[in-house]
Amino acid sequence: SSPACPPPADGYCCSATGWLGSTAAHCSNINSLDECCSLNDEGRLTCVTECEEPPAVCTGDAAIDAVLLESKIGCKIGLIDSNEIYKWSGFCDALRSFNDLESDRRLFLGEGDMSTALGLSNIAGLLAQAMWESGGEAPFTACDENDYPPSSPTASC
């Protein structure tokens, strides 16, 4: 493993959640060419990560769940087995629990003719924000909250 940053001239680094990059957050884990990736015949990186099987029911909306299951989006956005903090199944559980609360607040999953597209669009927006807030350039690497300067002595991590 290579904790050096920037990465060697012949590769990128993998963050703990499998994202390739050259920042300190990426390079504190491994050199991608040592562990998770290889160069294919075209000279591009091919990276293999192991992921949990996505749940068949994520949102409770059959059409949205079918797209999420088929796409294996959790794995593609870095919610892989080596991520000890966040899991795709956890996202799905939280989404269903939130939408089951007795409240007017819900993650809008669409209605009418464009229901599936609207629901997927809202999920994409939520995931993008969550990825940024939980690690920025190395998504899903922060343990609980971001501790922006000035640093707080009571921050959880």
Side-chain angles (χ1 to χ4, degrees):
S1 106
S2 175
C5 195
D10 61 351
Y12 289 94
C13 297
C14 291
S15 71
T17 56
W19 288 93
L20 296 174
S22 58
T23 68
H26 292 89
C27 296
S28 64
N29 193 36
I30 55 176
N31 176 336
S32 61
L33 293 175
D34 288 343
E35 299 285 335
C36 62
C37 302
S38 60
L39 289 172
N40 66 22
D41 293 338
E42 300 164 350
R44 295 178 186 229
L45 287 173
T46 302
C47 304
V48 178
T49 55
E50 293 185 22
C51 297
E52 69 179 0
E53 187 64 30
V57 176
C58 182
T59 66
D61 178 293
I64 291 173
D65 289 344
V67 172
L68 296 175
L69 180 65
E70 179 68 25
S71 71
K72 296 185 176 5
I73 189 68
C75 189
K76 292 180 173 117
I77 63 171
L79 300 176
I80 59 177
D81 284 350
S82 63
N83 187 329
E84 297 175 4
I85 302 169
Y86 300 103
K87 301 289 182 200
W88 179 248
S89 58
F91 171 81
C92 294
D93 292 345
L95 190 153
R96 283 192 317 277
S97 293
F98 179 75
N99 277 357
D100 286 344
L101 292 174
E102 292 187 27
S103 169
D104 292 339
R105 296 183 186 260
R106 299 216 169 3
L107 179 65
F108 182 65
L109 296 176
E111 61 187 17
D113 293 341
M114 299 295 293
S115 179
T116 301
L118 289 169
L120 289 168
S121 177
N122 282 337
I123 290 169
L126 175 61
L127 288 171
Q129 183 66 26
M131 290 168 68
W132 180 254
E133 291 296 333
S134 66
E137 292 181 1
F140 302 119
T141 57
C143 69
D144 185 24
E145 64 188 60
N146 291 324
D147 185 25
Y148 298 110
S151 296
S152 169
T154 60
S156 61
C157 46

